[in-house]
Amino acid sequence: MKKFRKVLDGLTTSSPASAGGSPSCGSAAGTPTAAPTPRELDVHETLLSEHFHICKTVRHGFPYQPTALAFDPVQKILAIGSRSGGVRILGRPGVDCYCQHESGAAVLQLQFLINEGALVSACADDTLHLWNLRQRRPAILHSLKFNRERITFCHLPFQSKWLYVGTERGNTHIVNVESFVLSGYVIMWNKAIELSTKTHPGPVVHLSDSPKDEGKLLIGFESGTIVMWDLRSKRADFRIYYDEAIHSVSWHHEGRQFMCSHSDGSLSMWNLRNTAKPFQVTFPHGKSQRDGRKESCKPILKVEYKTCRNSEPFVIFSGGLSYDKAGRRPTLTIMHGKAITVLEMDHPIVEFTVLCETPYLNEVQEPYAVVVLLEKDFIVVDLTQSNFPIFENPYPMDVHESPVTCTAYFADCPPDIIPVLYSIGAKHKKTGYSHKEWPVSGGTWTIGSQTYPEIIITGHADGSIKFWDATAITLQMLYKLKTSKVFEKPKGGEVGRSAELVEEDPYAVQMVSWCPQSRVFCVVGISAHVILYRFSKHDANTSITSLEVRLQCEMEDVISPSDTENTVCATDPGGHSPQPQPSSPRSNTPDSVRDSIPCLRVKDRVIRMPPGYQAELVVQLLWVDGEPPQQITSLDLNSAYGLLAVGNCNGLAVVDYLQKTVILCMSTVELYGSADPFQRLTRSPRKNRQSTSDFCMRGLSNFYSDSKKRIRTSYQSLTELSDNQVSLDLERSKSPTSDHVNGHCTSPTSQPCVPGRPRVPGGPEGPRLSRRGPGRPPFRKAQSAACMEVSLPVSSLTEESRENSFSRSRSSSVSSIDRDTKEAVTTLQFAESYGRKLDTLPTPCLWVGTSLGLVLLVPMSIPMDEQERMEEPITVAPTGTVLMLKGSVLRFGFLDCSGGLIQSPYELWRDLNAPEDPERPRRRKLVNFSPCSSQETASDGHLAVVCSERQAKVFLMPSQACLYVHNITESSFVLRADVVGVSNSVCLACFCANGHIMILSLPSLRPLLDVNYLPLTDMRIARTFCFTNGGQALYLSSPTEIQRITYSQEMCDNLQEMLGELFTPTETPEAQNRGFLKGFFGGNAQTFDREELFGEAAAGKASRSLAQHIPGQGSVEGVRVAAGGVVGDLARARIALDERGQRLGELEERTALMMSSAETFSKHAHELMLKCKDKKWYQF
C-alpha cells in the first residue's frame, strides 16, 4: 500500500489585477480561498510499470494499395501484398494476420510453398524473403538481396525446393528455398535466344515448367519472345518470336498447348507440335473492321486457361476491352465454351487467381472459384453456377466504403447490445450471394478465454455510421445507419450558393457520442448539425424535431491585453434560456445577407422509421449575417439528465432533448461572469458590412470556394483516397501535421481559428490587429475551429527535422498562436460534481474545457420526478468557477477518494415505441443519479482529473485544491487522452504528437509507461486514435485499415492464445492414378531430379556479388521449426527422414502389389499351359 499525503494549508491566490498574476489552479480567479482543513488522502495504487507493454494486436480492413495475390490450394489460405511492404494472410473468419517488411518496399509477387507452411515474397528492393507461417506471428527466416539485377517474376513448382527467379536483364536464376542460396545454374538471356537475334528480348515476364515434363522450363520475355528451355541439356527446344508484347502465359493441363495474352487485347494459342505460328488468335472484345481485321483493344494483363472434366474449359482474363468504349469500368471476362460473361468491377483489377480442386498442374484442374483483388475491394466469384454469383465476404473489407472520418471504441459494453444490433442489421443485408461456403477456409481459430463485448463505431464522409462487433480481436459489421435520411435532398437552384459550401460531403461525420446503457446516440456533422437518435425494436411513424441555435460571436470580439470590459456574444438577450429560432425560408435570399438559416433542411413531414436507431432531434447552428456557422468542436451527452451539450469556437449551447428546448446558449466570455481572469477591450461599434455590390466586386465565386474549403478542412485529410501517389519531392516538403488545404495547418486539438490576441493578464497595451490583412480572404472566422496559422515555413524543414516536424511546427508557432487567439470550447462532460466550493452535496454539473486551458463549471438543477422532469424547466446558473492548465483542455475524469472511477449517471434503455403494458408502465430508471446519494461519499467529495495538451492535474472537489500536477510534454503536445480502466484499476493514457504513448497513474500522476510508438505521425492517426478500457486502443493506420493495439502486459501475454493458427497439418492430396502401363513405362510425365542439376555438386556456387544472403529475425518458435542452426538442421533432417521413410513404404507396397500381380499372372499362365499341353493344334 502506498500513501500519498497532501497537506492543504494556506492555499491562496493572487488577484488577476496584480502584475503578471494568473489564477491559481486551486481557486476561482480573483477570489481568495480559505485555507482548507489539512487532511490525509489515502489511495491504494496497484498499477506498476510491469503492467504495461505496447504491441500491435490485429489489423482490420482492406489492405491499402494492394499489389500481389497468392493462394495455397491445400492449406486454403490467401496472402495479399501491398505497396507499403505489408502482407495480409487470411483464412477462415478469425484467421487474419498482418506482416510487415522492415524495408517498406512494395511487394511485387507472393509464392506459397504449398502445404509447407511457408511463403516467399519478392519486393521492389530486389529482395526475396522466406516467411515461416507455422507460428501465430509469422517471421522471416531468410532473405536474399540481389545486387546487380532487378527481380521481375518468380515461379516455384509444386513440391519443389528450387525457385526460378526472372530478372529485368532477361536472365533466370535458381534459388534453393531451404537454404536461400543461389544455385550456380543460370539461364542467360543471350543463350536462351538465337545468336542471330540483334535485339534484347526484354525482362522476363513469365516462368513455368511444362506439365508434361518438369525438365522443360517455359520462359516468356516482354518483347514477345517465348523460349522452351531444356534444363537437362541446357539448350532451347524451340523459340517463338511474336509481334505483340506478352503479359502472361497459361498451360493446358496436358502440356501440349498453352495460351498467351498480349498487349493488343488478343489471345494466342500455341501447339508444341508446330511453334511456327499460333494455331488460334482471338480478340475476345474486338470488332471486325471493314478490311476483315480485328480492331486493337486494351492489353489483356493476365489469362488463366483451366480445364474441366465434364464441360468445356474456362478461359478467364482481365482487360482486353476495345478503346472506343471510353469510361467503361474494369472487367473480368469468363469464357466457358461459347458463352462469354463480362463482370464489371467498381475498381481497377490488381490481380486475380483461379482456385482449382487439385494442386497438380498435369491433372484436370476443375476450377470452382476465382479470387479478384481490386484496388479498393476484394471479391470471390463462384464458377460452379452459371450466373457466376459472388461469395459473401466474411472479412471486414468495406471499412472504407465511404472514407472514414472519425472513430470511437467501446470495451466491456452491455452484453445484450451486440445481439440486438446484429438482429436489426441482418434484416438489411444484401442478397444474391452464392450459397456455398467461403472457399478461403484455412487455419484454425478459437475464442480466447478472456473476452468481453467490444464495439467500434466508424463515421464516414457520406454521413453513414457503422457499428462493428470487435469482440475477441475480430471485426464484423453489426448495423449501418445513414444520417443523410434525416435531411431533404437539395434540389437544383433551390438553396443557391449556400449548398456549395459543403456540396461534396454535406453529411460527413465529425464526431459521435454514444451511451451504450441507454442506447442514445448523437452524431455531429460537418454542416454544424447534431442528430440525436434513440434505439427501438419497433418501427415508427413520426416527425423529427428541429432546433436552430444562433451561436455566433461578433467579428470585433477580440481578446487583447488592453481589454477592460467583457465582450458579448451575438445571442439573444437572456441567453440563459433562449428559444429555438423559427425556421426561415431559404429561397431567394441574397448570399451576402443570409441570416438565421441552417446549412441543411430537415424533413418536416411524418417519416416511417424502421427498427433500429431512429432520429428524434436535430440541432443546427445558423448562418449569421451572411457567414456560415462554425464547426462543432466538442459534444457530450447524458441520458440520465436528458441533456446534450455542444461547443465550438464561439461558445456553448445546452439542449434538453426530453423537452426539445435550448436551455443555454452563451459565449465562453459570458460563462466566466465576474470570474473572468482576463482583461478585455470594450467592444467596438459594429461596422457596417459591405454591400452586395462590394462582394460582387471582390468576386462571389472566390468567397464561396474559399468558404467551402474552410468548412471541409477539418476532415479532408481523412477522406483522402487518391489513386495517384504523391511525388517524393512533394511528400518531403510537407509537414506531417499539415493538410495543406488553403495554406493552413489543421490541428486535431481544435485550436481556435479567428486571428486575434491572447488572453494574457496584465500585458502591455498595443494597437489593435487588423482583422483582414493583405491577401487574407474575407470572413476568415468561418474557418474550421481546428485550424491555425503556422509561422514556420514548411519549405524550411530539412531532412533532419522532418521526423519531428509534427511537434516542431506546433511549438514553433506557439508564439503566433498566442498572439492571434480566440477561445473555443474543446471538451465537455456532464458529471455529478460540486459547482461551488461551499457545496456539501454533489449536483449535476457540466464541465467545460477551453482552448486556453481554462475549466469552467456549470451547475444545473434537474427535477427528480419523471413528470416534473418533462414539465418543469431546468435551471442553469454558471458559477464562473475557473481552473487553469497549460494548453487546450482535452479530457475530464472523475475518481472517488479511494481512487475508483466514478461512472457518469445514465438511464437504462426503454423502448419508447413498444406497446403499452398497463401492468408494467414504462418509467425512467436512472443509475448513479442521486444528488444526495450517500452522506459519506458526499462529505468526502471526489477527485477531478483534467488533462490538457501539455499537462495533467488532479483537483480535490469541492475545495478545488490542486493535489497533483504532471507536465506531460514540453517539446510536443498531447493529441488524445483518456481515463481508462486497466487491471482492475484506473490510469490516464495519452498519445502525443511526437508518437509517444504515455501512461500515468491516478491520482498521483506517476509515469508508468513512455514508449515512442509511432516515430512519424500524420493527421489521420492523430484524429482517429482513441483509447478504451482493458488496455486497448485503435487508430486508422491507412485510409482503409484499422490498427488495434494493446498497452496491457496481460493482454500481450494472452495474445498468442487469441490469434489464429495459419498452418494446420494436412496431407497433400495424392496425384491421380495414371494407370498401370503409363506409370510403369513412363507415361506422359517424366521424373526429374532438380537436385542433380541445380545442386552445388553439379552446378557449382553462384557469384557472391550477385546476391547477398541475410539471416532472418525469426522468433524462437520459428527457429525451432525451420530456421538455421543445429536444431533447425535436425528438424529438417527428421522431416526428410520421415518423408523418405514414407516414400520407401509406399514403394514397398507398390513392389509387393506388383509381385502379387506377377505371381497371379504366373499361376494363371501355368494353369493355362497345363490345360492346353495335351491338346492338338486343331483342337483350339
Side-chain angles (χ1 to χ4, degrees):
M1 162 130 8
K2 295 187 177 180
K3 282 191 177 182
F4 299 96
R5 178 185 297 261
K6 192 75 177 181
V7 179
L8 309 174
D9 50 352
L11 190 63
T12 59
T13 60
S14 58
S15 171
S18 61
S22 62
S24 169
C25 61
S27 67
T31 305
T33 61
T37 305
R39 60 187 300 270
E40 188 177 283
L41 182 67
D42 293 332
V43 176
H44 182 202
E45 291 192 1
T46 59
L47 291 179
L48 304 173
S49 299
E50 292 75 19
H51 292 113
F52 298 96
H53 181 71
I54 298 286
C55 74
K56 296 180 180 180
T57 54
V58 67
R59 181 171 293 203
H60 303 297
F62 180 76
Y64 185 55
Q65 296 179 333
T67 54
L69 177 69
F71 181 73
D72 187 326
V74 179
Q75 288 290 319
K76 295 190 181 302
I77 58 176
L78 188 87
I80 300 174
S82 68
R83 191 173 299 176
S84 60
V87 178
R88 282 281 290 282
I89 304 173
L90 303 169
R92 67 176 66 248
V95 179
D96 187 341
C97 182
Y98 174 78
C99 315
Q100 176 67 44
H101 293 91
E102 291 184 2
S103 64
V107 178
L108 299 179
Q109 195 174 353
L110 296 171
Q111 286 273 319
F112 275 104
L113 277 67
I114 297 177
N115 204 26
E116 296 290 337
L119 175 71
V120 174
S121 60
C123 295
D125 60 352
D126 307 309
T127 306
L128 298 173
H129 304 276
L130 177 64
W131 293 85
N132 175 26
L133 306 184
R134 297 191 179 219
Q135 56 193 70
R136 293 178 187 260
R137 284 189 175 275
I140 293 178
L141 302 177
H142 302 282
S143 298
L144 189 66
K145 169 72 174 175
F146 281 74
N147 297 322
R148 295 183 296 183
E149 298 193 52
R150 314 262 350 233
I151 299 173
T152 56
F153 194 86
C154 297
H155 170 62
L156 181 65
F158 179 44
Q159 294 182 326
S160 170
K161 68 175 184 179
W162 298 96
L163 175 72
Y164 301 111
V165 181
T167 67
E168 194 175 32
R169 293 186 180 181
N171 302 326
T172 302
H173 300 275
I174 301 171
V175 178
N176 187 320
V177 175
E178 291 183 352
S179 60
F180 242 56
V181 174
L182 269 180
S183 168
Y185 193 112
V186 183
I187 305 173
M188 305 298 291
W189 67 270
N190 55 355
K191 294 182 179 179
I193 64 174
E194 291 181 342
L195 297 178
S196 59
T197 305
K198 296 181 180 179
T199 59
H200 191 279
V204 175
V205 296
H206 177 79
L207 292 169
S208 62
D209 48 346
S210 169
K212 186 177 180 180
D213 185 358
E214 295 177 349
K216 304 292 180 66
L217 183 67
L218 190 70
I219 307 174
F221 298 93
E222 188 180 54
S223 63
T225 302
I226 301 175
V227 176
M228 176 69 87
W229 184 263
D230 190 330
L231 294 169
R232 300 183 188 87
S233 61
K234 300 182 181 180
R235 61 180 180 84
D237 276 5
F238 63 81
R239 300 178 177 90
I240 296 174
Y241 298 97
Y242 198 65
D243 296 336
E244 294 296 334
I246 292 176
H247 286 281
S248 68
V249 181
S250 184
W251 280 96
H252 188 279
H253 80 276
E254 293 180 350
R256 297 191 180 98
Q257 59 188 24
F258 58 88
M259 179 181 292
C260 301
S261 68
H262 301 280
S263 58
D264 63 347
S266 65
L267 297 173
S268 62
M269 288 284 291
W270 301 83
N271 197 306
L272 298 189
R273 294 180 179 178
N274 181 14
T275 58
K277 63 178 182 178
F279 72 87
Q280 183 181 1
V281 177
T282 58
F283 288 81
H285 296 298
K287 297 179 181 178
S288 298
Q289 298 176 340
R290 293 181 179 179
D291 57 359
R293 299 178 59 186
K294 294 283 187 178
E295 66 175 341
S296 182
C297 297
K298 297 177 183 179
I300 296 179
L301 301 179
K302 183 178 181 179
V303 64
E304 292 270 13
Y305 185 24
K306 301 298 180 182
T307 54
C308 301
R309 186 172 287 104
N310 300 320
S311 64
E312 295 290 329
F314 280 92
V315 177
I316 304 173
F317 60 89
S318 60
L321 293 179
S322 57
Y323 281 103
D324 63 344
K325 296 178 181 178
R328 280 195 63 176
R329 294 189 292 181
T331 60
L332 181 78
T333 304
I334 302 175
M335 300 172 61
H336 190 208
K338 295 183 179 180
I340 300 179
T341 304
V342 179
L343 304 179
E344 289 191 342
M345 304 296 171
D346 294 331
H347 310 284
I349 297 175
V350 176
E351 175 71 284
F352 74 90
T353 186
V354 180
L355 311 187
C356 301
E357 296 287 352
T358 176
Y360 297 94
L361 297 180
N362 58 356
E363 296 179 356
V364 179
Q365 298 297 288
E366 292 291 346
Y368 60 89
V370 55
V371 177
V372 187
L373 179 64
L374 309 176
E375 279 192 1
K376 298 174 185 176
D377 203 357
F378 169 75
I379 64 172
V380 181
V381 181
D382 186 357
L383 296 179
T384 61
Q385 301 182 41
S386 58
N387 59 339
F388 302 127
I390 65 172
F391 290 88
E392 185 177 5
N393 197 330
Y395 313 126
M397 293 290 185
D398 57 345
V399 172
H400 65 290
E401 184 179 15
S402 175
V404 178
T405 54
C406 73
T407 59
Y409 193 5
F410 300 87
D412 205 7
C413 299
D416 60 334
I417 189 68
I418 290 179
V420 168
L421 288 173
Y422 181 80
S423 62
I424 298 296
K427 299 177 182 178
H428 305 285
K429 282 192 173 183
K430 297 179 182 178
T431 58
Y433 293 110
S434 173
H435 299 294
K436 295 198 172 183
E437 292 185 1
W438 179 251
V440 186
S441 57
T444 57
W445 178 77
T446 56
I447 298 178
S449 57
Q450 297 181 350
T451 58
Y452 42 84
E454 300 175 68
I455 287 181
I456 293 173
I457 301 177
T458 56
H460 300 265
D462 63 352
S464 61
I465 303 286
K466 292 182 180 179
F467 290 78
W468 305 84
D469 178 9
T471 306
I473 70 169
T474 61
L475 196 69
Q476 181 181 10
M477 196 174 80
L478 297 172
Y479 177 73
K480 183 177 180 179
L481 176 67
K482 295 182 179 179
T483 63
S484 59
K485 292 184 176 181
V486 173
F487 303 99
E488 297 281 4
K489 292 183 179 179
K491 297 179 181 179
E494 179 186 1
V495 294
R497 289 279 188 171
S498 62
E500 294 185 7
L501 291 173
V502 285
E503 62 179 354
E504 296 180 29
D505 296 311
Y507 314 110
V509 179
Q510 279 190 299
M511 65 183 75
V512 296
S513 179
W514 186 45
C515 177
Q517 291 81 10
S518 64
R519 304 181 188 176
V520 180
F521 184 58
C522 272
V523 180
V524 174
I526 192 70
S527 300
H529 63 267
V530 182
I531 310 174
L532 185 136
Y533 291 89
R534 283 184 183 249
F535 188 84
S536 176
K537 295 182 180 179
H538 305 83
D539 56 1
N541 294 313
T542 183
S543 59
I544 304 172
T545 304
S546 176
L547 294 179
E548 298 177 351
V549 179
R550 188 182 177 96
L551 190 62
Q552 196 89 354
C553 288
E554 295 292 344
M555 201 148 189
E556 291 78 12
D557 286 345
V558 188
I559 304 165
S560 173
S562 58
D563 288 348
T564 58
E565 292 183 14
N566 294 343
T567 59
V568 183
C569 181
T571 58
D572 295 335
H576 292 263
S577 301
Q579 296 301 317
Q581 295 290 331
S583 298
S584 304
R586 302 184 57 178
S587 58
N588 303 323
T589 305
D591 295 320
S592 59
V593 293
R594 191 173 296 278
D595 187 51
S596 299
I597 297 175
C599 294
L600 301 172
R601 177 180 295 176
V602 180
K603 292 180 179 178
D604 55 0
R605 61 184 183 276
V606 176
I607 306 171
R608 182 192 173 276
M609 298 184 182
Y613 273 104
Q614 300 169 351
E616 182 176 293
L617 175 68
V618 177
V619 180
Q620 291 182 285
L621 304 187
L622 301 176
W623 283 61
V624 177
D625 296 332
E627 297 182 22
Q630 294 284 0
Q631 290 179 13
I632 296 170
T633 57
S634 55
L635 169 76
D636 194 37
L637 162 76
N638 190 280
S639 58
Y641 302 160
L643 298 179
L644 173 69
V646 176
N648 66 0
C649 66
N650 287 326
L652 169 69
V654 180
V655 176
D656 182 349
Y657 67 79
L658 296 180
Q659 298 185 20
K660 309 291 192 302
T661 58
V662 180
I663 63 173
L664 179 71
C665 182
M666 302 178 69
S667 68
T668 49
V669 175
E670 293 174 310
L671 289 173
Y672 290 110
S674 61
D676 191 351
F678 301 104
Q679 298 177 345
R680 307 170 193 277
L681 282 175
T682 305
R683 189 178 61 154
S684 61
R686 182 182 177 87
K687 298 178 182 179
N688 292 329
R689 299 196 177 275
Q690 293 175 320
S691 64
T692 307
S693 59
D694 292 332
F695 278 110
C696 294
M697 294 177 63
R698 284 183 174 271
L700 277 172
S701 59
N702 292 337
F703 164 67
Y704 281 107
S705 62
D706 186 67
S707 299
K708 179 168 65 177
K709 290 179 182 178
R710 292 196 299 267
I711 286 186
R712 290 172 49 81
T713 296
S714 68
Y715 73 97
Q716 184 163 357
S717 67
L718 293 179
T719 62
E720 290 292 338
L721 279 173
S722 175
D723 295 332
N724 301 324
Q725 289 297 300
V726 182
S727 65
L728 184 60
D729 294 338
L730 179 61
E731 198 67 36
R732 287 181 176 177
S733 67
K734 285 187 177 182
S735 167
T737 61
S738 179
D739 285 338
H740 292 275
V741 178
N742 216 20
H744 293 84
C745 175
T746 60
S747 167
T749 52
S750 302
Q751 279 293 336
C753 58
V754 184
R757 290 202 174 185
R759 295 172 178 250
V760 180
E765 292 190 9
R768 292 285 297 273
L769 292 177
S770 172
R771 299 302 297 167
R772 189 178 300 164
R776 183 170 293 176
F779 298 136
R780 174 50 60 106
K781 70 188 294 297
Q783 188 176 327
S784 162
C787 302
M788 62 181 179
E789 299 273 0
V790 179
S791 61
L792 180 67
V794 176
S795 59
S796 65
L797 294 175
T798 62
E799 183 78 23
E800 182 180 2
S801 67
R802 267 208 320 273
E803 181 175 348
N804 296 321
S805 58
F806 201 147
S807 58
R808 291 187 185 183
S809 64
R810 172 68 180 238
S811 59
S812 301
S813 60
V814 166
S815 57
S816 68
I817 295 172
D818 290 342
R819 284 194 303 269
D820 303 325
T821 305
K822 183 174 138 182
E823 192 167 16
V825 177
T826 55
T827 186
L828 296 165
Q829 185 162 340
F830 290 101
E832 295 280 303
S833 186
Y834 303 85
R836 302 168 183 85
K837 289 187 176 182
L838 301 179
D839 288 349
T840 57
L841 295 175
T843 58
C845 291
L846 175 62
W847 285 64
V848 182
T850 73
S851 57
L852 296 184
L854 299 179
V855 178
L856 306 172
L857 271 72
V858 181
M860 297 168 290
S861 177
I862 303 176
M864 290 288 295
D865 182 74
E866 182 173 356
Q867 185 175 356
E868 292 180 358
R869 175 65 184 85
M870 299 302 297
E871 297 174 355
E872 296 183 6
I874 295 176
T875 57
V876 180
T879 60
T881 300
V882 176
L883 311 174
M884 182 173 284
L885 291 86
K886 296 179 182 177
S888 299
V889 180
L890 300 178
R891 188 67 58 193
F892 297 120
F894 304 97
L895 310 176
D896 57 31
C897 289
S898 61
L901 183 64
I902 299 177
Q903 298 290 342
S904 296
Y906 60 87
E907 175 190 2
L908 293 178
W909 174 72
R910 56 195 176 115
D911 196 337
L912 299 179
N913 296 330
E916 288 285 350
D917 186 357
E919 298 180 359
R920 302 179 60 184
R922 290 195 301 266
R923 294 184 179 275
R924 297 186 72 206
K925 296 180 180 179
L926 307 182
V927 180
N928 296 338
F929 178 36
S930 51
C932 50
S933 55
S934 121
Q935 295 299 326
E936 288 134 13
T937 50
S939 60
D940 285 346
H942 68 81
L943 303 177
V945 181
V946 186
C947 184
S948 72
E949 288 181 330
R950 298 191 180 276
Q951 66 177 187
K953 290 186 178 182
V954 176
F955 297 93
L956 177 64
M957 303 299 292
S959 67
Q960 302 176 13
C962 181
L963 301 183
Y964 302 99
V965 182
H966 178 74
N967 293 322
I968 300 174
T969 176
E970 294 294 340
S971 59
S972 183
F973 59 98
V974 179
L975 292 169
R976 177 79 185 206
D978 288 289
V979 177
V980 293
V982 180
S983 301
N984 299 321
S985 190
V986 186
C987 63
L988 177 64
C990 303
F991 175 61
C992 296
N994 57 9
H996 283 248
I997 292 179
M998 301 181 183
I999 307 294
L1000 304 177
S1001 68
L1002 290 177
S1004 63
L1005 298 178
R1006 289 181 300 108
L1008 298 176
L1009 179 74
D1010 186 354
V1011 175
N1012 188 9
Y1013 175 68
L1014 293 172
L1016 285 176
T1017 59
D1018 55 32
M1019 291 307 300
R1020 185 192 313 107
I1021 297 175
R1023 299 185 193 200
T1024 58
F1025 199 104
C1026 52
F1027 296 96
T1028 189
N1029 296 327
Q1032 297 196 71
L1034 66 80
Y1035 59 92
L1036 213 64
S1037 58
S1038 73
T1040 63
E1041 294 171 289
I1042 295 175
Q1043 178 68 59
R1044 291 167 67 181
I1045 66 173
T1046 180
Y1047 49 92
S1048 166
Q1049 181 66 58
E1050 181 182 5
M1051 189 169 183
C1052 291
D1053 296 337
N1054 298 326
L1055 188 58
Q1056 291 292 329
E1057 177 189 350
M1058 301 169 70
L1059 296 175
E1061 289 275 3
L1062 295 173
F1063 178 79
T1064 54
T1066 306
E1067 290 188 7
T1068 303
E1070 293 186 2
Q1072 293 180 359
N1073 187 6
R1074 297 190 298 272
F1076 177 78
L1077 293 178
K1078 286 185 178 180
F1080 191 75
F1081 293 106
N1084 64 348
Q1086 301 181 15
T1087 57
F1088 174 60
D1089 190 355
R1090 295 182 177 88
E1091 184 68 32
E1092 293 182 358
L1093 289 177
F1094 306 147
E1096 185 176 336
K1101 293 184 178 181
S1103 172
R1104 292 185 178 181
S1105 61
L1106 184 60
Q1108 176 187 1
H1109 176 263
I1110 305 171
Q1113 301 292 327
S1115 64
V1116 175
E1117 186 178 352
V1119 171
R1120 289 175 182 172
V1121 176
V1126 177
V1127 177
D1129 292 339
L1130 290 175
R1132 284 196 296 272
R1134 184 174 64 252
I1135 294 173
L1137 287 173
D1138 292 342
E1139 293 176 352
R1140 180 187 174 113
Q1142 184 178 357
R1143 292 173 184 170
L1144 288 175
E1146 293 175 356
L1147 180 61
E1148 186 178 356
E1149 291 176 0
R1150 292 179 182 178
T1151 304
L1153 182 61
M1154 292 176 62
M1155 290 180 62
S1156 176
S1157 300
E1159 289 179 0
T1160 304
F1161 179 78
S1162 175
K1163 180 179 179 181
H1164 288 303
H1166 184 68
E1167 291 176 354
L1168 183 63
M1169 184 267 295
L1170 292 177
K1171 183 177 179 180
C1172 302
K1173 181 174 66 170
D1174 298 331
K1175 291 185 178 182
K1176 303 296 183 182
W1177 63 271
Y1178 52 82
Q1179 292 178 329
F1180 288 99

